[in-house]
Amino acid sequence: KKVERRVVEVPLLKRRVAFDEVSANFCGSYDDLETLPCWRFPEIAFVGRSNVGKSSMLNALVKKSVAVSGKRPGRTRRINMFRLDEKEETSCVLTDLPGYGYAGLGKEEQEQIARFVRRYLDDRPQLKLVVLIVDSRRDPDQTDLDVLYELKARGRPVLLVATKIDKFDTS
């Protein structure tokens, strides 16, 4: 469900963003850091367990859905980038990262994706904020906590967001 929102203050970007009034354009899907675009726009990365709703959350933030989401966990296996369609001087990029847990993948492919994501989180100078998404219906597990501590240890600013609040049984 799309939640009504207006303007969000994003201090790390040094500006305000009215996400739901902004279009996003797909920039590309990458599985090699050397092929990532080298732009000057700040990036906001979405990270979390497979099937936590990273792509759905990204879609909820913009005017028109752009990220592919599905019921089957582990659909996102590459870094997908979407540039907010704003003025050149105020644009930013939303980055949809593969989820950890990678359901349905072999151990070798899981490790390869994990190494790639770690390198992105470590080496990407454009990365200004990491949005760590957790499922509100479940207690964070050790992997969620490890990711949070690892991001903090790397000096990455983290915003913790709980999704799927609409799925709570209130009866």
Side-chain angles (χ1 to χ4, degrees):
K1 291 180 180 178
K2 189 154 183 152
V3 178
E4 185 69 29
R5 68 186 58 74
R6 288 289 157 232
V7 178
V8 177
E9 185 74 39
V10 186
L12 293 166
L13 300 180
K14 297 182 174 90
R15 64 191 179 93
R16 303 177 85 163
V17 177
F19 282 108
D20 59 340
E21 297 173 6
V22 175
S23 295
N25 296 308
F26 179 66
C27 298
S29 187
Y30 307 93
D31 58 10
D32 182 355
L33 289 182
E34 286 67 38
T35 62
L36 287 175
C38 289
W39 44 52
R40 60 184 180 83
F41 309 117
E43 294 173 10
I44 301 172
F46 294 80
V47 67
R49 149 172 322 288
S50 289
N51 208 31
V52 76
K54 293 177 298 300
S55 299
S56 296
M57 182 177 172
L58 190 147
N59 284 334
L61 290 172
V62 295
K63 193 178 350 182
K64 181 182 170 199
S65 294
V66 290
V68 177
S69 62
K71 298 233 181 256
R72 196 178 99 244
R75 183 170 176 103
T76 304
R77 296 182 183 188
R78 305 173 89 192
I79 291 179
N80 297 310
M81 299 182 135
F82 306 88
R83 182 168 163 216
L84 293 186
D85 190 20
E86 289 193 72
K87 297 176 190 162
E88 184 77 14
E89 65 276 2
T90 61
S91 190
C92 73
V93 174
L94 304 179
T95 303
D96 189 9
L97 298 175
Y100 45 88
Y102 320 114
L105 299 182
K107 187 174 177 110
E108 186 176 315
E109 190 173 4
Q110 288 181 33
E111 290 172 3
Q112 180 182 1
I113 291 171
R115 279 192 303 274
F116 174 52
V117 169
R118 260 190 236 104
R119 281 191 54 219
Y120 170 80
L121 294 170
D122 282 342
D123 300 340
R124 190 72 175 164
Q126 295 89 337
L127 182 58
K128 302 301 179 197
L129 177 66
V130 179
V131 179
L132 175 57
I133 303 172
V134 295
D135 188 330
S136 62
R137 301 170 299 170
R138 295 168 175 72
D139 289 336
D141 67 7
Q142 191 58 50
T143 307
D144 295 319
L145 297 173
D146 289 345
V147 169
L148 177 61
Y149 298 143
E150 207 171 308
L151 289 167
K152 291 304 233 173
R154 286 179 160 86
R156 291 292 185 190
V158 178
L159 175 64
L160 186 63
V161 174
T163 59
K164 303 188 181 189
I165 194 122
D166 59 320
K167 308 252 188 223
F168 269 111
D169 181 17
T170 57
S171 55

